Amino acid sequence: MIGIGDGAFLTAAGVLAGLVGTAGGITSLISYPALLMAGLPALSANVTNLVAGVACWPGAALVSQPELAGHGPWLRRWVPLSALGGAAGAVLLLSTPTGVFAHVVPFLVLIGSLTLLAQPRLTALHQRYRHDRPSGERKVILPLGLIALSVYGGYFGAGSGVMILALLMVTVELRLVAANALKNMLIGAPALISAASFAAFGPVDWMAAAPLGLGMFVGSTLGPRIARRLPASRLRLIVAVIGIALAIQLWITATD
């Protein structure tokens, strides 16, 4: 049962998670452990986290209008594909036994954390790849990469934003701030589909989802502003280290 203290804690965690996620980091590495600390079991925490994360979409869209200007046709083409991947990921999660999920989570969190740490190097490699490869090959990479990452986003999501950001910088947009704004919109589509599925069939803790989602909305209106102005290297390092520590803790817990 979520009390007043837990609700305040989840709201604060949601603000930080929404800020970090929409600025280019990993939302779930903050919001997911916050739900675990509030007492939710692994599967319920993951489902509740994905439902609350929908609140980041309108907040980021509201603040990112300058970066999204002129990208309407592109988004109308690719957002439905992201939504399809999110639906597949939701089905996969709902059909996964709780015990299996508890053993998979540590590795997903670790992958997300290492991806966040490697983001600068990956971006440099991807920019070089973009120039070295023909445009036709990049056109194949975008849909295949987007559907795979959207499935993962609908299933768990930690690190999917950073990976989608890298994918977009390879195939679509070299400017980090603009690519980040597009990434936020693409993540919102599978999150919405997953949330609808989990609301109907999943173990959502609505008493936890409400304050977390409220905080995420507020944080998502701050993240794009910070992405325009500040380097994220120090914040990226702190969040990644927390994520690695969480992965180790979850692995030990799952093997007990």
Side-chain angles (χ1 to χ4, degrees):
M1 181 69 179
I2 300 297
I4 296 177
D6 289 331
F9 167 71
L10 290 174
T11 301
V15 172
L16 183 59
L19 187 157
V20 170
T22 55
I26 301 177
T27 304
S28 296
L29 289 184
I30 297 172
S31 55
Y32 179 72
L35 289 167
L36 294 178
M37 292 176 65
L40 275 68
L43 181 59
S44 179
N46 184 50
V47 169
T48 302
N49 180 52
L50 289 170
V51 170
V54 174
C56 289
W57 198 11
L62 183 66
V63 179
S64 299
Q65 291 303 309
E67 290 80 20
L68 295 175
H71 287 95
W74 187 92
L75 288 171
R76 285 192 291 272
R77 179 179 182 183
W78 295 110
V79 164
L81 183 64
S82 294
L84 179 63
V91 171
L92 180 62
L93 177 58
L94 290 173
S95 62
T96 302
T98 305
V100 173
F101 180 76
H103 286 82
V104 171
V105 165
F107 297 99
L108 297 180
V109 173
L110 180 62
I111 290 170
S113 303
L114 294 177
T115 301
L116 184 58
L117 276 179
Q119 181 184 0
R121 181 172 297 180
L122 288 174
T123 299
L125 291 174
H126 287 158
Q127 288 177 340
R128 186 185 312 164
Y129 180 90
R130 178 185 174 93
H131 291 297
D132 293 343
R133 297 293 183 176
S135 59
E137 186 170 336
R138 295 199 301 267
K139 291 179 180 178
V140 174
I141 293 173
L142 177 59
L144 292 180
L146 187 57
I147 190 69
L149 292 175
S150 297
V151 170
Y152 171 68
Y155 179 77
F156 185 63
S160 63
V162 174
M163 290 184 276
I164 289 177
L165 179 61
L167 175 67
L168 293 178
M169 294 188 73
V170 175
T171 58
V172 178
E173 177 61 71
L174 284 175
R175 296 173 300 159
L176 177 59
V177 175
N180 185 60
L182 293 175
K183 176 266 297 181
N184 289 335
M185 297 303 98
L186 291 176
I187 287 179
L192 183 61
I193 297 298
S194 297
S197 302
F198 298 146
F201 304 108
V204 180
D205 189 322
W206 293 103
M207 294 297 292
L212 184 65
L214 175 62
M216 284 184 169
F217 175 79
V218 174
S220 68
T221 65
L222 304 175
R225 292 188 173 99
I226 291 177
R228 293 186 190 121
R229 294 174 175 84
L230 298 176
S233 57
R234 183 172 299 179
L235 183 59
R236 176 172 54 240
L237 176 61
I238 292 172
V239 175
V241 170
I242 292 173
I244 293 172
L246 172 66
I248 295 172
Q249 178 184 359
L250 291 175
W251 181 78
I252 292 173
T253 302
T255 55
D256 285 343

